[in-house]
Amino acid sequence: MDTRTTGRARRLVIPLGIVALVAAQGVALRLSGVEPAPVVGILMFGVAIVAAAFALAWAGEAAEVDISGGLAVGLLAIIAILPEYAIDLYFAFTAGSDPSQAQYAAANMTGSNRLLLGFGWPFILLVAFLVYRAARSRRRPVDPDVSPRPFAVRLPGDNRVELGLLMIASVLTLTIPLTGQIHVLLGVVLLALFVYYLWKVAQGESEEPELVGVPAAIGGLPTVARRVTVIAIFALSAAVILLLAEPFAHSLIQGGRAAGIDDFLLVQWLAPLASEAPEFVIAIIFAMRGKAAMGVGILLASKVNQWTALVGTLPIAHALGGGGWALPMDGRQVEEFVLTATQTLLGVAMLLSLRFAGRWATALFVLFAATFVFTGTEARWIVSGVYATLAVVLFAIQWRTLWPTLRAPFARSADDPAAEAEPVSAGTRE
């Protein structure tokens, strides 16, 4: 074995070995049947999930050698969101025989969605900004997808597919607060949109990616070995995340109860914090590697997954658990859903120009944080109104992009038909 091959093997085996050992301690604790103290569980299960997320990020980058970048991002988002599916579908299924569990299914779904947009999106932009500043101060190459004045992350035209599907799904889900339930028929339609989304992103062309570190070591393997390695990492990481999501969430909730936090709030915020951790970690890794657009793209793909597949499977799980043809929601859950739906529309409106700007990231975070400061019913309706008003204003300002965005999921080409109509102002250039 020559020096070059030995070096490549070392760059692959050592990092994967470290990740495997870190993940193994969490798996061993889970399989032992021992219930650890909340703090111990949060620490051990948490670092194991983060380790699995690192492995997923490496495999996702290496997968771009064989498949389109859009499909790689979509698969990463699906695997990263598996813990959220496991927790939410559990509540929906048990609600079929125990109606009191229905509130937790809705709470977990709305909490995870708002956490993703209100905290996840702005945080990725903050990481991208700090990485950009560090690269400039050290005179290193900067992220090519970053626009410094005003600071923003430029997204590829392919992301109009996700934006268009989110707009369509948002219109369809308006029936939920109007009827006070999520019907199985709506669930089937949303699942069909999700399946179509996966098919659509799979049609993109595969380009030669620029890989470094562990992804480069995986990508440099012979074709069969590379594909087997990527698939194995995807499968094992997904298994670790699924296995540890429930005890991690349980440890968080137990710790919250010990601190006197209400069960509804625990399910709505602490459990999603655990289940969203893998996708946050993956997106942060890409942002830190100077691939902020891919990091934002992963969270955007996760939002599509949540707003189509996750919402769509809830009434089906409820029916399979012995419930009726619709998952009912009470007044509080309707308020939470309206808040989540209007936040989603604002998120779509912010990205119509395919630029995620710092000022809009700040607005998302401030509005998200406001619901923790002002917790009453009136506050939820007011914040929903602000979300909706800002979305309408942005839709009106960027009305020329609405039709191209709605058409993008069904266009034959992944080209961005709106890009030519949007001249770049001098203020967005370096």
Side-chain angles (χ1 to χ4, degrees):
M1 184 179 293
D2 59 30
T3 305
R4 192 174 182 179
T5 303
T6 302
R8 181 184 300 159
R10 186 182 297 111
R11 290 196 302 272
L12 178 61
V13 173
I14 293 177
L16 286 179
I18 294 173
V19 163
L21 287 174
V22 174
Q25 57 81 30
V27 173
L29 178 60
R30 176 73 167 95
L31 296 179
S32 70
V34 176
E35 185 171 341
V39 174
V40 175
I42 291 171
L43 179 62
M44 296 186 68
F45 295 135
V47 296
I49 289 175
V50 170
F54 267 93
L56 275 177
W58 294 334
E61 280 195 83
E64 291 185 69
V65 175
D66 297 300
I67 61 178
S68 69
L71 181 57
V73 168
L75 291 175
L76 268 176
I78 292 171
I79 295 174
I81 204 177
L82 283 177
E84 178 62 30
Y85 277 81
I87 295 171
D88 227 347
L89 294 183
Y90 167 78
F91 285 126
F93 182 82
T94 55
S97 56
D98 182 5
S100 67
Q101 298 295 306
Q103 62 172 329
Y104 296 131
N108 196 255
M109 181 268 291
T110 55
S112 61
N113 269 272
R114 295 214 301 278
L115 185 67
L116 183 65
L117 255 72
F119 176 77
W121 288 19
F123 190 76
I124 290 301
L125 202 70
L126 174 61
V127 172
F129 175 73
L130 295 176
V131 169
Y132 170 79
R133 288 284 300 273
R136 286 294 299 270
S137 65
R138 298 173 183 174
R139 298 188 177 183
R140 294 180 178 177
V142 299
D143 187 343
D145 295 317
V146 162
S147 174
R149 302 191 201 92
F151 188 82
V153 171
R154 293 186 295 264
L155 302 178
D158 292 353
N159 281 145
R160 284 205 186 277
V161 173
E162 285 86 358
L163 293 174
L165 288 173
L166 273 178
M167 288 178 66
I168 294 169
S170 295
V171 172
L172 290 173
T173 52
L174 287 177
T175 59
I176 296 174
L178 292 175
T179 60
Q181 62 181 12
I182 310 177
H183 200 277
V184 168
L185 291 178
L186 175 61
V188 171
V189 173
L190 292 174
L191 281 174
L193 271 180
F194 174 68
V195 172
Y196 176 79
Y197 165 63
L198 290 182
W199 175 82
K200 179 67 178 179
V201 295
Q203 305 308 304
E205 296 182 0
S206 177
E207 299 179 359
E208 188 69 26
E210 297 180 6
L211 304 177
V212 296
V214 179
I218 298 174
L221 294 173
T223 301
V224 174
R226 179 180 65 248
R227 292 176 178 175
V228 170
T229 300
V230 168
I231 292 172
I233 292 175
F234 272 133
L236 291 174
S237 297
V240 170
I241 290 172
L242 276 175
L243 184 66
L244 303 186
E246 188 272 334
F248 185 31
H250 178 72
S251 295
L252 277 174
I253 291 175
Q254 290 296 108
R257 282 178 177 167
I261 302 175
D262 178 71
D263 276 5
F264 185 89
L265 296 178
L266 287 172
V267 171
Q268 187 173 39
W269 298 117
L270 279 185
L273 185 63
S275 59
E276 299 286 350
E279 60 195 291
F280 283 167
V281 171
I282 293 170
I284 290 169
I285 290 171
F286 283 119
M288 293 181 67
R289 293 172 66 87
K291 296 183 177 183
M294 193 168 182
V296 174
I298 286 173
L299 297 189
L300 183 58
S302 295
K303 179 61 180 178
V304 174
N305 291 344
Q306 289 184 340
W307 213 229
T308 55
L310 180 58
V311 177
T313 51
L314 291 182
I316 296 174
H318 176 256
L320 293 175
W325 289 98
L327 177 66
M329 295 194 295
D330 60 24
R332 170 66 185 275
Q333 293 157 37
V334 168
E335 294 167 12
E336 297 286 350
F337 195 91
V338 170
L339 192 59
T340 307
T342 51
Q343 186 202 46
T344 301
L345 287 173
L346 178 57
V348 172
M350 286 178 178
L351 298 184
L352 282 177
S353 64
L354 295 178
R355 295 180 73 255
F356 187 33
R359 60 181 179 274
W360 288 117
T362 302
L364 269 180
F365 179 76
V366 169
L367 288 170
F368 171 70
T371 59
F372 290 92
V373 178
F374 307 101
T375 58
T377 297
E378 290 184 0
R380 284 192 287 274
W381 286 113
I382 290 173
V383 174
S384 297
V386 174
Y387 278 138
T389 301
L390 290 175
V392 170
V393 170
L394 285 176
F395 282 138
I397 293 174
Q398 303 182 92
W399 63 272
R400 287 186 178 87
T401 65
L402 288 176
W403 174 243
T405 300
L406 287 170
R407 189 183 66 179
F410 312 102
R412 293 183 180 179
S413 171
D415 295 337
D416 178 24
E420 296 178 1
E422 294 179 36
V424 180
S425 64
T428 63
R429 294 177 181 165
E430 188 170 4

